[in-house]
Amino acid sequence: MGAPRTGIIAAGHERAADAAAVVLEAGGNAFDAVIAAGFASSVCEPGFTSLAGGGFLLARTAAGTDTLFDFFVDTPGRGLPADAMEPVFEEVRVSFAAAEQVFHCGPGSVAVPGVLAGYLHVHRRLGRLPLADLVAPAVELARAGVEVSATQAADFALLAPILARTPASRAIFFPEGQLVGVGDTVRNPDLAGFLEALAADPSCTFYEGDGAERLVAQLAAGGGLITREDLGAYRVIERDPLRFRYRDRTLLTNPPPTFGGALLALALHRMEADGASHPAGSPEHALRLAATMAGVDRDRAAGHPEVLAALRGDLGDDPAARPQVNRGTTHVTIADAEGNVAAMTTSNGECSGDVIDGTGIACNNMLGEDDLHPDGFHAAPAGVRVASMMSPTFVLDPEGAVELALGSGGSKRIRSALLQVLTATVDQGVPLQDAVLAPRQHWDEDHLEVEPGFAPAVLAALEQHHRVNLWPATSMYFGGVHAVAPGSAGAGDPRRGGAVRVVEATT
């Protein structure tokens, strides 16, 4: 199969997609473009991602090399005595549509960040253009301002108590005393200045030197646990992707010690083992999806040997013992005209409400959610890579070319969103955008969460076999799948601000 003749971008915001397109048009490759989109997303999707968050990038080079870049967060506290590890949190109550949830924020919730290190590492390894070219769109957005989208406004409204925690955060999100909403402009001149300094000298980060000293001192003053040793020891990890067969395709995804890719692989394996596929949108297909989702969740909770084997992978450890983080995320997928493909998912949790002094960079709160730490806060030793449900994924056709690249935000709904898009496209040949737009379901402990839009017969079948919570409208709760079929099509998920750009090859 020849190289694609166009570059295609699917991202979670119009301006992030624009940033990637500018870089492709300037002669950058997919990896330059995905990094540019990531920097831009830190400005235009601040409810989902930050340079002080964590993430993963699945990369296929035009030469056929596949790498999973793991730049997720580490647990902090290297060099601290055991009696200094008691967390200092501020509890913030967040009101969702049907319930309230308490989140733990503040400096004690901040894990060792990986996103900035990841972008710089991938640029050194696979990028082509100067770093200044990749940060330029983000600098312009941060200085001139970006209009708040409906997706970001909804997220800001949920996170308002956290975003209001500190004066630095209020200056960004409450510039005139009121939370910004749809159509308002968010400006972040400090972030623009930080990025310009980074472009001039890539060592001007918060991992070393004065930047590290300031970050450690700022967080320690409020009970944070990140040390100079944590920042100096942080490393991006290059892993072999998890590779498995599904029908006549090969899939590549995020390997252990993360959870999401292995659980997605197990769900697809069980779907295939059940026999012939049923038409997407049929009662039979919906029931099989529900049974598979429920079965994987049930068996994971019970420690089923098949699940433990999937989670163990080839690393010999048990990722179930690792702290896990699943929250607010965004995703970018890019295929260029040369055959390079990148799928990148990043997250900042709900953010801690802290902003690194002088940088405009919001800190994560990856360590502050009690439902993710059943053994207690900071029970894991310092320096452990936190596990995640993020699952950037490639589908390879029978000849080994990337047929589809995709990923999603959405916490535990990531794998159910990907499962539904993959079974629709691979099993039934449903057009990519139709598969992304189709209504979704998600098994949540003991019942089904269901979007509107299913045919009455499908909904009746689901209700006959399961307790169903039918949502009044589509929602970002059900993920945001941004996908690309290289050289053919892109699909942006409107649940999370999806945007697609096509860049024609110049030669």
Side-chain angles (χ1 to χ4, degrees):
M1 180 180 293
R5 291 173 295 178
T6 58
I8 305 177
I9 300 152
H13 194 285
E14 299 282 349
R15 301 290 80 78
D18 288 341
V22 166
V23 166
L24 287 185
E25 290 166 350
N29 61 26
F31 312 114
D32 291 313
V34 81
I35 295 164
F39 278 120
S41 291
S42 70
V43 181
C44 60
E45 297 184 87
F48 292 157
T49 190
S50 166
L51 299 181
F56 303 88
L57 169 63
L58 180 59
R60 153 75 61 104
T61 67
T65 301
D66 300 309
T67 307
L68 188 286
F69 294 91
D70 176 348
F71 46 92
F72 206 59
V73 298
D74 282 350
T75 53
R78 289 179 175 90
L80 292 179
D83 59 1
M85 295 295 286
E86 187 66 26
V88 178
F89 293 142
E90 179 177 332
E91 290 190 356
V92 174
R93 192 171 299 275
V94 174
S95 297
F96 293 90
E100 287 190 339
Q101 185 170 356
V102 173
F103 293 113
H104 299 87
C105 304
S109 71
V110 183
V112 184
V115 163
L116 180 58
Y119 292 172
L120 296 176
H121 180 94
V122 174
H123 176 250
R124 288 192 299 268
R125 286 273 284 106
L126 299 176
R128 175 187 300 159
L129 296 184
L131 183 62
D133 292 356
L134 309 190
V135 303
V139 169
E140 182 179 353
L141 287 173
R143 182 157 287 133
V146 60
E147 185 175 304
V148 177
S149 68
T151 299
Q152 288 299 297
D155 199 52
F156 295 164
L158 286 176
L159 302 181
I162 301 173
L163 300 178
R165 270 199 63 249
T166 63
S169 183
R170 289 195 297 273
I172 298 170
F173 298 104
F174 295 77
E176 298 180 3
Q178 298 292 323
L179 178 66
V180 291
V182 177
D184 291 336
T185 299
V186 170
R187 294 180 175 84
N188 195 334
D190 284 348
L191 181 54
F194 175 85
L195 291 174
E196 287 180 321
L198 181 73
D201 180 1
S203 70
C204 289
T205 70
F206 44 71
Y207 292 99
E208 57 187 14
D210 291 343
E213 291 283 2
R214 290 194 300 270
L215 174 57
V216 169
Q218 176 186 347
L219 296 180
L225 301 178
I226 291 179
T227 66
R228 280 295 306 270
E229 291 89 336
D230 291 325
L231 296 170
Y234 185 87
R235 295 292 183 271
V236 176
I237 302 172
E238 297 187 14
R239 306 187 191 276
D240 291 329
L242 176 65
R243 181 182 296 261
F244 64 95
R245 294 285 296 176
Y246 178 63
R247 304 199 187 278
D248 64 343
R249 308 300 205 278
T250 299
L251 272 69
L252 309 182
T253 191
N254 203 356
T258 64
F259 295 87
L263 295 174
L264 174 63
L266 181 58
L268 286 167
H269 170 74
R270 291 184 175 184
M271 290 287 289
E272 184 174 13
D274 280 345
S277 62
H278 296 282
S282 68
E284 294 82 5
H285 183 66
L287 286 171
R288 178 173 292 179
L289 283 169
T292 300
M293 294 173 186
V296 170
D297 275 13
R298 180 186 62 246
D299 290 348
R300 180 188 174 205
H304 189 284
E306 188 178 25
V307 176
L308 293 179
L311 293 177
R312 193 174 300 114
D314 296 325
L315 299 182
D317 67 349
D318 179 7
R322 293 169 175 263
Q324 176 191 351
V325 175
N326 299 315
R327 300 298 174 174
T329 49
T330 191
H331 182 85
V332 183
T333 302
I334 300 176
D336 65 24
E338 303 167 35
N340 301 294
V341 187
M344 183 174 76
T345 314
T346 60
S347 175
N348 201 37
E350 290 83 25
C351 83
S352 73
D354 300 281
V355 176
I356 302 175
D357 287 345
T359 71
I361 298 173
C363 294
N364 69 76
N365 73 321
M366 300 293 198
L367 300 181
E369 301 174 19
D370 49 9
D371 59 331
L372 303 181
H373 300 276
D375 296 327
F377 293 115
H378 302 303
V384 172
R385 186 60 48 94
V386 175
S388 171
M389 287 294 179
M390 298 182 193
S391 306
T393 299
F394 293 161
V395 178
L396 309 186
D397 66 20
E399 286 73 47
V402 178
E403 178 180 69
L404 178 63
L406 72 168
S408 178
S411 183
K412 293 181 290 185
R413 282 85 61 194
I414 289 173
R415 68 180 187 272
S416 58
L418 296 180
L419 176 66
Q420 289 165 91
V421 172
L422 287 168
T423 55
T425 54
V426 173
D427 296 0
Q428 303 295 329
V430 174
L432 183 55
Q433 187 67 52
D434 292 347
V436 168
L437 292 177
R440 292 184 192 144
Q441 60 191 69
H442 172 73
W443 183 262
D444 187 4
E445 295 187 354
D446 60 356
H447 69 281
L448 276 173
E449 301 285 353
V450 176
E451 282 189 306
F454 284 97
V458 173
L459 190 58
L462 292 175
E463 291 176 332
Q464 183 179 353
H465 291 84
H466 306 286
R467 184 162 63 90
V468 171
N469 179 36
L470 181 62
W471 285 57
T474 57
S475 171
M476 72 172 68
Y477 170 90
F478 292 91
V481 178
H482 307 313
V484 168
S488 175
D493 196 330
R495 296 171 182 85
R496 292 193 175 221
V500 173
R501 298 289 184 272
V502 176
V503 177
E504 298 296 334
T506 57
T507 58

